[in-house]
Amino acid sequence: MHHAAADAAWPGYSSGMDSSVYPARRARLAAALRAAGGGVAVIPTAPERNRNSDNDHPYRHDSSFHHLTGFDEPGAWLVLNASGACAIGCRAKNPEMEIWEGVRLGVDAAPAALGVDSAFDIETLDAFMLEWLAGAPAVWFPFQPGAGVAPRIDGWLATLRSRARSGVEAPAAVRDLAPLLAEMRVRKDAAELATMRRAAQISADAHARAMRFSAARFRAAPDGTVREYEIEAELLHEFRRRGAQSPAYPSIVAAGANACVLHYAASDAELRAGELCLIDAGCELDGYASDITRTFPADGRFTPAQRELYDIVLAAQRAAAAVTRPGARHLDAHHAAVRVLTQGMLDSGLLDRDAVGGVDDAIAATAYRQFYMHGTGHWLGRDVHDVGEYLSLGEAPVERLDGAGRTIHAKPSRVLEAGMVVTLEPGLYVRPALGVPERFWHIGIRIEDDAVVTDTGCELISRGVPVEAGEIEALMRDAA
Ligand code: GLY
Ligand code: MN
Ligand code: MN
């Protein structure tokens, strides 16, 4: 490699997103700190994690740190006070290490590149923090068990208290920054929604690719099998070739009965003609997750029993989407889905009317949990199960149903607002049991889409892959 050319080609720092958003976000956090009594906030990025010997897990920044900086190097801390002053501690330039690990932004370049007031060598964090914390009313950091931050804070506070006789005032309060960060992240701005739309489209195309792959394989060899990992490879191929950095979570590719294991990971099981394949997979693009589930027939044609249950799940998802709008509560979608699913369980004979009564009785007795045992959605954003409070903390406790259909006395579920993003993911999972019609045994179906709450309703940004049974069959029929 020619030295000078290589040097010039080194990428330096690039953030991926318009860098003007980060100072604005930090200003909002400073305002939130002022409103909450002031103080100094410290936000470390994620640590590097060793896999074995010299071999680390792929590095992933901390989501909140990245939200405020756009900076994706390890070994960095953001420090910010209520008047809006902010500094970044980062790794010093190190030509020797950079040969092995890649270019570092470095202390000198950081202020201009990140728009922060100042930067310091992360090795001098202790000294820097002692200066910033002296006289501050509070120190804020995201409380996270095991993150190793609390002992550092304790150490700084102890040092400052030991200097009391020389007139140093240690912060009187240690406060959790996580709720403030979550509140900033729960509503997505236009730039974030644009990235999430792109992520959802890549994932949708990956699901369509997997469906076409399965169809083509069973067309070529109707009595053959396809391994789950072969389908997973199609997903990963599409994610990476489109520039997504990684899956947002371990891909679920579940052949047949494996779909009834909720956290099944793609493994080596064989998918056969006549079985369903459940894929729950989504890419992470530029720090944002997508989360899509589709369930399709291996060979492209639903059996009548599969189709009967599939259409119930799809109707449940439609009902959930219909109530997802500003002013509705987060749990409304779940309750709407449960009602349709439970009605479907009664109509199909999964639940025995004589045993459980009508739909209201079956819901009140949570009889549906035999076949639908999880929630209908979660916040989606930088993290696949994104941060954000699920309760309306400003309201008084009321008697209500929780996600599992139990009557509880608690704060109401949160009111949705435009810019929030939730998943809608009802399902049915039929394990063999006495009284359950045999034609449904081992069928597991989930349909999951990503919904942006708009001014008037919601927009499903992951519908780039078909969801109607007939449309899935058509796509698979047309596959090469
Ligand atoms: N893929 C994780 C979830 O659906 O919640
Ligand atoms: Mn999900
Ligand atoms: Mn999912």
Side-chain angles (χ1 to χ4, degrees), residues 152-203:
R152 309 264 332 239
I153 305 260
D154 286 347
W156 298 329
L157 292 178
T159 303
L160 288 173
R161 286 186 201 115
S162 75
R163 295 179 187 171
R165 265 176 296 167
S166 36
V168 174
E169 245 183 281
V174 179
R175 302 186 60 183
D176 188 6
L177 192 64
L180 269 60
L181 295 171
E183 206 46 38
M184 286 190 72
R185 285 171 51 193
V186 74
R187 292 174 212 81
K188 277 70 180 172
D189 65 27
E192 296 185 279
L193 291 176
T195 304
M196 291 188 73
R197 280 198 174 82
R198 282 170 43 226
Q201 186 57 50
I202 293 169
S203 298

Side-chain angles (χ1 to χ4, degrees), residues 4 21 35-37 50 77 89 109 147 151 205 226 235-236 250 265 297 342 363 367 414 416 444:
V21 299
N50 184 257
W77 292 54
D205 290 340
V226 177
L235 300 167
L236 295 174
T342 307
I363 291 172
R414 182 166 190 164
L416 298 179

Side-chain angles (χ1 to χ4, degrees), residues 189-350:
D189 65 27
E192 296 185 279
L193 291 176
T195 304
M196 291 188 73
R197 280 198 174 82
R198 282 170 43 226
Q201 186 57 50
I202 293 169
S203 298
D205 290 340
H207 279 258
R209 182 186 179 104
M211 290 176 188
R212 281 194 291 267
F213 172 81
S214 186
R217 284 284 295 268
F218 284 102
R219 172 143 341 124
D223 298 326
T225 62
V226 177
R227 299 273 186 179
E228 290 166 344
Y229 57 72
E230 297 181 85
I231 294 177
E232 181 187 23
E234 297 295 314
L235 300 167
L236 295 174
H237 180 95
E238 192 65 22
F239 291 171
R240 282 303 276 151
R241 93 181 181 85
R242 300 278 291 278
Q245 287 78 8
S246 68
Y249 53 92
S251 304
I252 295 174
V253 179
N258 292 336
C260 295
V261 178
L262 296 180
H263 285 168
Y264 187 82
S267 183
D268 60 0
E270 289 178 320
L271 178 67
R272 291 183 175 76
E275 290 182 326
L276 291 176
C277 179
L278 183 153
I279 297 180
D280 183 346
C283 68
E284 177 174 307
L285 176 71
D286 298 344
Y288 287 83
S290 52
D291 184 6
I292 302 181
T293 308
R294 287 292 183 270
T295 310
F296 60 89
D299 55 359
R301 276 208 311 277
F302 286 93
T303 67
Q306 291 166 352
R307 176 70 190 257
E308 188 176 346
L309 298 192
Y310 190 90
D311 286 343
I312 294 169
V313 177
L314 184 55
Q317 202 211 32
R318 288 221 171 86
V323 298
T324 298
R325 55 182 148 70
R329 295 193 185 267
H330 173 256
L331 271 182
D332 290 352
H334 180 64
H335 293 140
V338 160
R339 178 158 290 273
V340 173
L341 290 170
T342 307
Q343 186 64 57
M345 291 173 202
L346 292 166
D347 295 344
S348 62
L350 279 175

Side-chain angles (χ1 to χ4, degrees), residues 280 291 378 384-385 423 425 448:
D280 183 346
D291 184 6
H378 49 81
V384 61
H385 288 188
T423 64
E425 49 179 305
E448 176 173 27

